Amino acid sequence: MPVTSKPVRGEAKVEDHKIVQRNLALQREWYGEPLGDRVRRLVVAFNVSQAQLADVLGISAPMLSQVMSGRRAKIGNPSVLARMIMLERKVLTPDVATGAPAALQRALDEVRDSKPTVSRDSLPVNGTDDEAAVFPFLRRIADRRELSQAADMLGDDFPALADLLRRAGKGRDS
């Protein structure tokens, strides 16, 4: 009969690291980037703690922490993911973008109280629904050069937003 032994401490850490790296790679594939990056942007944009954001999303704070750190690969509840997307969209609205505390709180309350449903008909394909709503707004407030400069400034820290600004700028002549 073979003898099995517990992994030594270093081996367990290596295995944990592999699991986290695999989960982060899956998050990039499924969500476009690690969820920790998306959640951190929301924490900053809405000036809330991770625990407060977890409450708004409808997920426990420990579960959110595990998803952010890559200890878990996915958000299993589609309504939680839908609320996260709602918050990401609200960041782009003029009242929330001002950073006014009342506007931030109102947006958080609306999302917390929402009962989103997710079906195959409610999700945009290739972001075209989002672009149809966001691009005209961005093009009204900035020309191609300004959108490009803003994208360059955001590029390293906020690649998804930078890409959005670049795509909005391509469709407009200055």
Side-chain angles (χ1 to χ4, degrees):
M1 196 180 250
V3 176
T4 59
S5 63
K6 289 184 178 180
V8 288
R9 194 173 200 179
E11 290 173 357
K13 284 188 177 193
V14 168
E15 187 61 28
D16 285 349
H17 179 74
K18 287 179 183 178
I19 291 168
V20 167
Q21 292 308 307
R22 185 200 75 212
N23 288 347
L24 292 175
L26 288 170
Q27 288 179 2
R28 283 184 194 91
E29 180 182 334
W30 296 335
Y31 303 111
E33 65 183 314
L35 290 173
D37 294 346
R38 291 176 71 172
V39 170
R40 277 186 281 283
R41 282 197 298 273
L42 291 173
V43 164
V44 170
F46 287 95
N47 194 29
V48 293
S49 68
Q50 287 180 26
Q52 290 168 314
L53 183 63
D55 177 60
V56 170
L57 296 175
I59 189 173
S60 72
M63 179 71 75
L64 182 61
S65 178
Q66 289 175 0
V67 169
M68 288 179 67
S69 68
R71 305 279 305 151
R72 287 185 177 262
K74 68 178 181 173
I75 296 174
N77 184 333
S79 294
V80 171
L81 181 59
R83 284 187 195 94
M84 185 169 72
I85 292 168
M86 290 169 66
L87 283 175
E88 289 172 329
R89 290 178 178 173
K90 286 189 177 289
V91 169
L92 300 173
T93 62
D95 59 333
V96 172
T98 66
L104 296 176
Q105 190 59 53
R106 191 170 41 254
L108 291 168
D109 291 343
E110 287 171 7
V111 170
R112 179 187 297 108
D113 296 341
S114 70
K115 306 277 188 248
T117 57
V118 180
S119 70
R120 64 187 167 105
D121 298 327
S122 69
L123 297 174
V125 176
N126 295 329
T128 53
D129 291 345
D130 292 339
E131 292 171 7
V134 173
F135 283 7
F137 172 75
L138 291 172
R139 292 173 183 154
R140 277 196 308 272
I141 62 171
D143 63 29
R144 176 183 284 178
R145 181 185 54 77
E146 292 170 324
L147 291 170
S148 177
Q149 286 176 338
D152 290 344
M153 291 172 67
L154 293 172
D156 292 337
D157 295 325
F158 303 99
L161 278 174
D163 180 59
L164 179 77
L165 292 173
R166 284 188 187 96
R167 287 184 291 129
K170 286 182 182 177
R172 177 184 181 147
D173 293 318
S174 303

